[in-house]
Amino acid sequence: MKTFNFTVKYSRTVYAVIGRDMSDMPSQFPALFSGADKLCLVTDGAAPRSLKARAAALFPPGKAEYFTFALPASEKAKTPDQAWKLCSFLFLKGFSRDSLLIAAGGGAVTDLTGFAASVYMRGINWISAPTTFLAQIDAGLGGKTAVNLRGAKNVVGTFHQPALAVCDTAFLDSLPHAELRSGAGELVKYAMIGPGPLRRAVEKNLSKALAGDESALTTCTAACAAYKIKLVAKDERDETGLRERLNLGHTAGHAFEALAGGRMPHGEAVARGLRFALILSARTGRLPGPAFKKLDALITALRLPSPPELGRDFRKFLALVSMDKKARGAHNRFLLVNAPGRLEAAENVKMALLKKAFDGALK
Ligand SMILES: NC(=O)c1ccc[n+]([C@@H]2O[C@H](COP(=O)([O-])OP(=O)(O)OC[C@H]3O[C@@H](n4cnc5c(N)ncnc54)[C@H](O)[C@@H]3O)[C@@H](O)[C@H]2O)c1
């Protein structure tokens, strides 16, 4: 087993452990666990039983009083109502600022649990244990927490770093192919935003990762997680523009996800959002043809299923992208690609171009 350990100074010290078949975190991080009076393991109620067993092995209760809380599946977990339900549960069970939340699940679970941890008692400690490929390379790291509002993604949220992030790729053994492919959508993003070595690692491992190859998944997880952890350390609160690059493809991607009404997994929507950004980049003369082809081929390699019919409403798409948090008063704002690893924001892009990119992304 190979593990990668990171200690990063954000607004607080964050430990991250990435590897396979890890065990017993309390013995590795005694200061974090020995002081906790109560633990609550938060999971996705629809995830396989083996996930809960694996999480219990990683986080044995020790002397702390131990509770579990099951959330509804996927985006149904990311609602204000679920956040209050979790907070109420913690309150009724007597959780204090000495208690600890452990989120073991996909990005929906880590986003919601991190959000609850940030508001309960004005902030208690939490641990992120992402169990999907997407959450191990992205959602479970970096301290952005969120719930959705009226169908719009991540409208209410906070920055609240987990004290510890544990990416154990053994969780991925039970992940269905559609979720691996969804994670690979974010993986392809890293090939477009990251430096040369990260891009080459993704290019080399993409098809093996899609086939569930253990070693490829661990290599990709470690490379992407390391990049994200370091990037976030330089711009924890998304203020200087550095962290923004992680949002490539997300403005259009979030709109595709919302339009599909829960029928398009997040990473798949991001992959379509990346294609949208590549088409706009090429059509506005930023991205030369050969570079476009090379990057677009990574999206083709994902073999995305056809998008649902109800997701093709261009008017609604325009309304959604204009409401994006990042639009900053413009009609629309998208990150575009000048070259692999070189991004540039474009604002108020013309309707005809948007329509071409929209049609191309949903082909
Ligand atoms: N906070 C951030 O920085 C950030 C970054 C990217 C994405 N996100 C958010 O992450 C969410 C998407 O995360 P996701 O793709 O992990 O989806 P998800 O949490 O919805 O999980 C997807 C599915 O996988 C199942 N699952 C989870 N672990 C499993 C396992 N080990 N074996 C079998 N099944 C398992 C779940 O039950 C669920 O059905 C979105 O809400 C997105 O907005 C957040």
Side-chain angles (χ1 to χ4, degrees), residues 44 74-75 78 106-108 111 131-132 139 144 153 171 174 228:
D44 172 336
S74 293
E75 293 300 302
K78 274 181 65 173
D111 273 9
T131 62
T132 61
K144 275 190 180 177
K153 293 275 300 179
F171 276 120
S174 55
K228 176 160 183 181

Side-chain angles (χ1 to χ4, degrees), residues 275-358:
R275 179 162 273 155
F276 177 92
L278 289 184
I279 295 172
L280 276 191
S281 307
R283 288 195 169 254
T284 53
R286 288 176 169 84
L287 186 65
F292 171 86
K293 273 195 184 149
K294 202 167 175 205
L295 295 179
D296 194 61
L298 296 173
I299 304 171
T300 304
L302 300 177
R303 296 173 189 268
L304 298 174
S306 306
E309 264 323 300
L310 82 166
R312 295 174 187 269
D313 188 328
F314 183 59
R315 276 175 175 276
K316 278 194 193 157
F317 173 82
L318 290 179
L320 284 164
V321 297
S322 73
M323 275 164 28
D324 189 78
K325 294 191 290 302
K326 306 276 177 194
R328 300 175 185 166
H331 289 303
N332 58 62
R333 183 174 189 277
F334 300 97
L335 280 182
L336 301 185
V337 184
N338 290 338
R342 277 206 289 122
L343 310 185
E344 180 187 18
E347 289 185 355
N348 299 324
V349 181
K350 292 209 174 69
M351 184 93 81
L353 274 180
L354 294 180
K355 180 74 169 77
K356 287 231 165 0
F358 177 83

